[in-house]
Amino acid sequence: MTIFRGTFLDTPDSPFAGGGLRVDADAGLLVSDGMIVARGPFLEIRQAHPAEQVVDLTGGVVLPGFVDTHVHFPQIRAVGGLGLPLLEWLDRYALPEEARMADASYAAGVATEFVRGLAAAGTTSALVFGAHYADAMDALFSAASEVGLRITSGLVLSDRLLRPELLTTPIRAYAESLALANRWHGVGRNRYAVTPRFSLSCTDELLATCRDLMEAVPGALFTSHVNENEAEIATVADLFGGCDYVTTYDRHGLVDRRTVLAHNVHPTDVELKMLAVGGAAVAHCPTSNAALGSGLFPLTRHLQFGVRVALGSDVGAGTGFSLLKEGLQAYFAQQLLGDQGRPLTAAHLLYLATTAGADALALPEVGHLSVGKRFDAQLVRPADGSPLAVGITHAADTEEVLARIFTLGTPADVQAVWIDGHLLHH
Ligand SMILES: [Zn+2]
């Protein structure tokens, strides 16, 4: 067993429901086989377990590992394509990279860059939007297994209105997805996610196949995009006889507790109600929303309807892997909404980046650092003299420390990352 000694910040109870930031300065977490089995003042934990090894993390702040609920593996090399709205950005920057995933050795290189990028940002769990090619998916799951990340991902499916080399058929989609799920679902920390790209590029027949796959792979998640951009929404309405975007999934039984839909910037009240009743989660990706000019996320309405919300980086439309940056941008978006916005504290941002994500991804074993959870954690310790180090030194209290971490922190400030108590090597 190992005792981790340090200052631990987490959000076991939602700040949206009366909870707050939990701060334990100079605490000890006793970890056995990756699980936190005791937690308390360091000296008490030390006295009760005098023979155990101590890992000293004092001088920094320990946070739970981040949970990224929406990030595209093939798009790491497309980050930074500024200046276009969604559909034009896809054609110009994202889809050419998606097509290059046909080359298995190219995909393997990207997979390595991708999992390193996640881990370096303090992200320990992610729902990853995969590639359109099965060999590329094998490369992703292999790379993730090597690093040890908790990855849920799947083959991306489309059968219309994309570059022809990215298209599949319902029969092929079913066979390739099932074969991948048989190879990777429940193997190590990997899980499978049934992943139609968006209903804009999927026929009803393909979406029905997705439902069949959900039944064939118990415990799989379902993920896609919804209500991101107004031109996209209008096209979806045309394609599906005027029905709303959420209904295109819901009428195939694809809106329930296993569902995570990215964006939802422009939902109707009817759609929010459908998501809430189904128990689906929304991946809010604020840097992507800003970069593509998609809009300002209506968080207040999601909360009013009781829709679960967590954070996603949406690399490559998003501007990087760090959920610190996504948290800050989520805060900005709510500020810009004025009366319609939901003022967010640092505790809200940490909750959205950790506990809410674990809930959205059906990962009850992670999300905060309570007894019974796995030790997935990150040490934030900025370089001496950096603006973040200065900010932390002069913060009035620990909530201010956390606000400064979200404001000034980058992956460079994440000094170490653990999953199941194992230190990852950057
Ligand atoms: Zn996306």
Side-chain angles (χ1 to χ4, degrees):
M1 293 194 287
T2 304
I3 300 169
F4 292 90
R5 176 185 194 177
T7 295
F8 297 87
L9 305 188
D10 63 358
T11 50
D13 301 309
S14 170
F16 294 104
L21 182 65
R22 177 167 62 172
V23 179
D24 268 342
D26 204 13
L29 268 58
L30 181 67
V31 173
S32 172
D33 290 329
M35 185 191 283
I36 301 164
V37 295
R39 173 180 172 133
F42 171 73
L43 291 176
E44 277 179 24
I45 297 287
R46 182 84 191 117
Q47 264 174 4
H49 305 276
E52 305 303 338
Q53 180 208 356
V54 174
V55 175
D56 188 349
L57 306 176
T58 53
V61 170
V62 183
L63 305 177
F66 287 142
V67 182
D68 188 338
T69 63
H70 186 73
V71 54
H72 291 255
F73 138 60
Q75 295 180 10
I76 178 171
R77 298 182 187 184
V79 171
L82 303 180
L84 297 175
L86 172 68
L87 299 176
E88 290 78 2
W89 176 85
L90 280 169
D91 285 340
R92 167 87 181 274
Y93 292 110
L95 298 181
E97 276 300 302
E98 299 275 0
R100 288 184 195 108
M101 293 290 122
D103 176 343
S105 69
Y106 186 91
V110 172
T112 302
E113 294 165 358
F114 178 79
V115 295
R116 284 182 185 163
L118 283 178
T123 296
T124 50
S125 301
L127 176 55
V128 177
F129 224 86
H132 288 266
Y133 301 97
D135 288 350
M137 289 310 301
D138 284 322
L140 171 68
F141 282 122
S142 297
S145 303
E146 241 167 70
V147 173
L149 294 170
R150 288 184 210 281
I151 292 298
T152 308
S153 189
L155 186 68
V156 179
L157 308 174
S158 286
D159 65 346
R160 66 174 170 190
L161 298 176
L162 277 192
R163 298 162 68 107
E165 66 268 45
L166 297 178
L167 299 181
T168 186
T169 63
I171 287 172
R172 200 180 111 208
Y174 186 84
E176 289 182 350
S177 300
L178 200 55
L180 277 166
N182 286 335
R183 282 202 288 286
W184 296 107
H185 185 57
V187 175
R189 301 186 185 110
N190 300 299
R191 295 183 306 169
Y192 201 76
V194 176
T195 311
R197 179 157 211 102
F198 50 174
S199 54
L200 190 150
S201 68
C202 299
T203 62
D204 273 308
E205 199 187 354
L206 186 60
L207 292 169
T209 299
C210 291
R211 177 70 250 169
D212 295 342
L213 282 165
M214 289 301 290
E215 273 155 28
V217 187
L221 295 192
F222 174 81
T223 192
S224 194
H225 296 95
V226 75
N227 288 323
E228 179 173 4
N229 164 291
E230 279 165 348
E232 170 214 19
I233 294 165
T235 307
V236 167
D238 281 349
L239 290 167
F240 288 89
C243 90
D244 67 59
Y245 211 142
V246 172
T247 297
T248 65
Y249 302 119
D250 186 61
R251 67 186 183 185
H252 293 288
L254 295 169
V255 176
D256 62 24
R257 294 286 303 179
R258 312 299 292 185
T259 300
V260 181
L261 295 173
H263 302 304
N264 210 33
V265 179
H266 306 285
T268 64
D269 285 357
V270 170
E271 290 178 297
L272 287 167
K273 188 164 184 200
M274 223 182 305
L275 293 169
V277 168
V282 166
H284 171 35
C285 307
T287 73
S288 167
N289 295 164
L292 298 176
S294 301
L296 295 169
F297 180 71
L299 177 60
T300 304
R301 290 173 61 221
H302 282 75
L303 294 170
Q304 281 167 349
F305 279 90
V307 180
R308 296 186 292 153
V309 175
L311 282 180
S313 66
D314 198 24
V315 159
T319 61
F321 285 106
S322 180
L323 291 192
L324 295 175
K325 181 152 68 167
E326 294 303 328
L328 182 65
Q329 187 71 34
Y331 167 82
F332 288 159
Q334 297 309 308
Q335 291 293 96
L336 290 169
L337 279 165
D339 289 351
Q340 311 294 313
R342 175 67 159 88
L344 297 174
T345 65
H348 290 109
L349 305 185
L350 184 63
Y351 173 79
L352 289 169
T354 58
T355 315
D359 179 62
L361 269 49
L363 288 172
E365 64 270 39
V366 299
H368 51 90
L369 298 170
S370 298
V371 170
K373 299 283 182 184
R374 311 300 299 177
F375 188 76
D376 283 18
Q378 56 180 313
L379 173 64
V380 178
R381 189 153 58 191
D384 289 345
S386 66
L388 178 55
V390 171
I392 288 175
T393 303
H394 297 282
D397 57 30
T398 315
E399 182 131 6
E400 268 193 34
V401 168
L402 186 62
R404 288 164 188 214
I405 288 172
F406 271 98
T407 306
L408 290 161
T410 72
D413 302 305
V414 177
Q415 205 173 82
V417 178
W418 296 262
I419 295 180
D420 279 339
H422 289 287
L423 181 64
L424 306 191
H425 295 284
H426 285 184

PDB file of all heavy atoms in Angstrom, residues 70-72 75 129 197 225 228 262-263 285 288 314-315, ligand 1:
ATOM      1  N   HIS A  70     -15.655  14.408 -24.723  1.00  0.00           N
ATOM      2  CA  HIS A  70     -15.778  14.499 -26.190  1.00  0.00           C
ATOM      3  C   HIS A  70     -14.473  14.993 -26.791  1.00  0.00           C
ATOM      4  O   HIS A  70     -14.119  16.166 -26.667  1.00  0.00           O
ATOM      5  CB  HIS A  70     -16.930  15.434 -26.583  1.00  0.00           C
ATOM      6  CG  HIS A  70     -17.182  15.456 -28.057  1.00  0.00           C
ATOM      7  ND1 HIS A  70     -17.773  14.402 -28.735  1.00  0.00           N
ATOM      8  CD2 HIS A  70     -16.907  16.384 -29.013  1.00  0.00           C
ATOM      9  CE1 HIS A  70     -17.859  14.680 -30.020  1.00  0.00           C
ATOM     10  NE2 HIS A  70     -17.336  15.883 -30.218  1.00  0.00           N
ATOM     11  N   VAL A  71     -13.750  14.094 -27.472  1.00  0.00           N
ATOM     12  CA  VAL A  71     -12.459  14.467 -28.065  1.00  0.00           C
ATOM     13  C   VAL A  71     -12.210  13.525 -29.237  1.00  0.00           C
ATOM     14  O   VAL A  71     -12.451  12.327 -29.140  1.00  0.00           O
ATOM     15  CB  VAL A  71     -11.336  14.410 -27.003  1.00  0.00           C
ATOM     16  CG1 VAL A  71     -11.257  13.068 -26.297  1.00  0.00           C
ATOM     17  CG2 VAL A  71      -9.987  14.809 -27.574  1.00  0.00           C
ATOM     18  N   HIS A  72     -11.764  14.105 -30.379  1.00  0.00           N
ATOM     19  CA  HIS A  72     -11.618  13.311 -31.615  1.00  0.00           C
ATOM     20  C   HIS A  72     -10.177  12.851 -31.779  1.00  0.00           C
ATOM     21  O   HIS A  72      -9.284  13.683 -31.983  1.00  0.00           O
ATOM     22  CB  HIS A  72     -11.994  14.152 -32.830  1.00  0.00           C
ATOM     23  CG  HIS A  72     -13.449  14.484 -32.923  1.00  0.00           C
ATOM     24  ND1 HIS A  72     -14.300  13.877 -33.818  1.00  0.00           N
ATOM     25  CD2 HIS A  72     -14.224  15.351 -32.221  1.00  0.00           C
ATOM     26  CE1 HIS A  72     -15.532  14.373 -33.681  1.00  0.00           C
ATOM     27  NE2 HIS A  72     -15.509  15.274 -32.710  1.00  0.00           N
ATOM     28  N   GLN A  75      -8.087  14.013 -35.022  1.00  0.00           N
ATOM     29  CA  GLN A  75      -8.015  15.444 -35.349  1.00  0.00           C
ATOM     30  C   GLN A  75      -6.916  16.216 -34.631  1.00  0.00           C
ATOM     31  O   GLN A  75      -6.883  17.443 -34.686  1.00  0.00           O
ATOM     32  CB  GLN A  75      -9.378  16.097 -35.071  1.00  0.00           C
ATOM     33  CG  GLN A  75     -10.480  15.563 -35.995  1.00  0.00           C
ATOM     34  CD  GLN A  75     -11.825  16.207 -35.728  1.00  0.00           C
ATOM     35  OE1 GLN A  75     -11.926  17.176 -34.985  1.00  0.00           O
ATOM     36  NE2 GLN A  75     -12.873  15.649 -36.330  1.00  0.00           N
ATOM     37  N   PHE A 129     -14.101  10.189 -29.672  1.00  0.00           N
ATOM     38  CA  PHE A 129     -14.692  10.012 -30.992  1.00  0.00           C
ATOM     39  C   PHE A 129     -13.610   9.400 -31.872  1.00  0.00           C
ATOM     40  O   PHE A 129     -12.530   9.959 -32.034  1.00  0.00           O
ATOM     41  CB  PHE A 129     -15.140  11.363 -31.548  1.00  0.00           C
ATOM     42  CG  PHE A 129     -16.497  11.321 -32.191  1.00  0.00           C
ATOM     43  CD1 PHE A 129     -17.636  11.494 -31.424  1.00  0.00           C
ATOM     44  CD2 PHE A 129     -16.634  11.090 -33.553  1.00  0.00           C
ATOM     45  CE1 PHE A 129     -18.896  11.453 -32.006  1.00  0.00           C
ATOM     46  CE2 PHE A 129     -17.891  11.053 -34.149  1.00  0.00           C
ATOM     47  CZ  PHE A 129     -19.032  11.226 -33.382  1.00  0.00           C
ATOM     48  N   ARG A 197     -21.420   9.467 -36.803  1.00  0.00           N
ATOM     49  CA  ARG A 197     -20.776  10.801 -36.792  1.00  0.00           C
ATOM     50  C   ARG A 197     -21.779  11.884 -36.375  1.00  0.00           C
ATOM     51  O   ARG A 197     -21.526  12.596 -35.425  1.00  0.00           O
ATOM     52  CB  ARG A 197     -20.195  11.120 -38.167  1.00  0.00           C
ATOM     53  CG  ARG A 197     -19.557  12.458 -38.200  1.00  0.00           C
ATOM     54  CD  ARG A 197     -18.521  12.653 -39.278  1.00  0.00           C
ATOM     55  NE  ARG A 197     -17.568  13.589 -38.707  1.00  0.00           N
ATOM     56  CZ  ARG A 197     -16.384  13.268 -38.210  1.00  0.00           C
ATOM     57  NH1 ARG A 197     -15.934  12.042 -38.304  1.00  0.00           N
ATOM     58  NH2 ARG A 197     -15.633  14.167 -37.639  1.00  0.00           N
ATOM     59  N   HIS A 225     -23.060  13.736 -32.227  1.00  0.00           N
ATOM     60  CA  HIS A 225     -23.166  15.194 -32.124  1.00  0.00           C
ATOM     61  C   HIS A 225     -24.633  15.610 -32.213  1.00  0.00           C
ATOM     62  O   HIS A 225     -25.432  14.905 -32.829  1.00  0.00           O
ATOM     63  CB  HIS A 225     -22.411  15.860 -33.272  1.00  0.00           C
ATOM     64  CG  HIS A 225     -20.938  15.618 -33.265  1.00  0.00           C
ATOM     65  ND1 HIS A 225     -20.333  14.620 -33.996  1.00  0.00           N
ATOM     66  CD2 HIS A 225     -19.932  16.249 -32.607  1.00  0.00           C
ATOM     67  CE1 HIS A 225     -19.024  14.658 -33.800  1.00  0.00           C
ATOM     68  NE2 HIS A 225     -18.747  15.634 -32.956  1.00  0.00           N
ATOM     69  N   GLU A 228     -25.279  21.624 -33.036  1.00  0.00           N
ATOM     70  CA  GLU A 228     -24.048  22.399 -32.866  1.00  0.00           C
ATOM     71  C   GLU A 228     -24.131  23.737 -33.598  1.00  0.00           C
ATOM     72  O   GLU A 228     -23.707  24.757 -33.070  1.00  0.00           O
ATOM     73  CB  GLU A 228     -22.857  21.567 -33.382  1.00  0.00           C
ATOM     74  CG  GLU A 228     -21.508  22.280 -33.268  1.00  0.00           C
ATOM     75  CD  GLU A 228     -20.345  21.397 -33.628  1.00  0.00           C
ATOM     76  OE1 GLU A 228     -20.574  20.242 -34.043  1.00  0.00           O
ATOM     77  OE2 GLU A 228     -19.192  21.871 -33.496  1.00  0.00           O
ATOM     78  N   ALA A 262     -22.628  15.495 -28.007  1.00  0.00           N
ATOM     79  CA  ALA A 262     -21.768  16.673 -27.927  1.00  0.00           C
ATOM     80  C   ALA A 262     -22.476  17.916 -28.430  1.00  0.00           C
ATOM     81  O   ALA A 262     -23.203  17.865 -29.424  1.00  0.00           O
ATOM     82  CB  ALA A 262     -20.495  16.448 -28.733  1.00  0.00           C
ATOM     83  N   HIS A 263     -22.245  19.014 -27.728  1.00  0.00           N
ATOM     84  CA  HIS A 263     -22.601  20.398 -28.084  1.00  0.00           C
ATOM     85  C   HIS A 263     -23.976  20.847 -27.585  1.00  0.00           C
ATOM     86  O   HIS A 263     -24.063  21.528 -26.594  1.00  0.00           O
ATOM     87  CB  HIS A 263     -22.427  20.651 -29.586  1.00  0.00           C
ATOM     88  CG  HIS A 263     -21.033  20.391 -30.039  1.00  0.00           C
ATOM     89  ND1 HIS A 263     -19.956  21.012 -29.469  1.00  0.00           N
ATOM     90  CD2 HIS A 263     -20.520  19.531 -30.971  1.00  0.00           C
ATOM     91  CE1 HIS A 263     -18.855  20.579 -30.030  1.00  0.00           C
ATOM     92  NE2 HIS A 263     -19.155  19.675 -30.940  1.00  0.00           N
ATOM     93  N   CYS A 285     -18.554  21.703 -25.008  1.00  0.00           N
ATOM     94  CA  CYS A 285     -17.198  21.885 -25.553  1.00  0.00           C
ATOM     95  C   CYS A 285     -16.992  23.371 -25.874  1.00  0.00           C
ATOM     96  O   CYS A 285     -17.094  23.797 -27.036  1.00  0.00           O
ATOM     97  CB  CYS A 285     -17.033  21.039 -26.806  1.00  0.00           C
ATOM     98  SG  CYS A 285     -17.457  19.289 -26.572  1.00  0.00           S
ATOM     99  N   SER A 288     -14.404  24.886 -28.595  1.00  0.00           N
ATOM    100  CA  SER A 288     -14.877  24.558 -29.945  1.00  0.00           C
ATOM    101  C   SER A 288     -16.043  25.458 -30.332  1.00  0.00           C
ATOM    102  O   SER A 288     -16.083  26.008 -31.440  1.00  0.00           O
ATOM    103  CB  SER A 288     -15.297  23.088 -29.989  1.00  0.00           C
ATOM    104  OG  SER A 288     -16.022  22.795 -31.156  1.00  0.00           O
ATOM    105  N   ASP A 314     -13.237  18.584 -27.381  1.00  0.00           N
ATOM    106  CA  ASP A 314     -13.528  18.588 -28.827  1.00  0.00           C
ATOM    107  C   ASP A 314     -12.314  18.924 -29.686  1.00  0.00           C
ATOM    108  O   ASP A 314     -12.445  19.589 -30.713  1.00  0.00           O
ATOM    109  CB  ASP A 314     -14.715  19.507 -29.172  1.00  0.00           C
ATOM    110  CG  ASP A 314     -15.304  19.184 -30.549  1.00  0.00           C
ATOM    111  OD1 ASP A 314     -15.133  18.037 -31.015  1.00  0.00           O
ATOM    112  OD2 ASP A 314     -15.907  20.088 -31.154  1.00  0.00           O
ATOM    113  N   VAL A 315     -11.128  18.473 -29.286  1.00  0.00           N
ATOM    114  CA  VAL A 315     -10.002  18.481 -30.238  1.00  0.00           C
ATOM    115  C   VAL A 315     -10.455  17.703 -31.473  1.00  0.00           C
ATOM    116  O   VAL A 315     -11.118  16.669 -31.339  1.00  0.00           O
ATOM    117  CB  VAL A 315      -8.784  17.772 -29.576  1.00  0.00           C
ATOM    118  CG1 VAL A 315      -7.774  17.290 -30.615  1.00  0.00           C
ATOM    119  CG2 VAL A 315      -8.123  18.684 -28.546  1.00  0.00           C
TER     120      VAL A 315
HETATM  121 ZN    ZN B   1     -16.964  16.648 -32.068  1.00  0.00          ZN
END
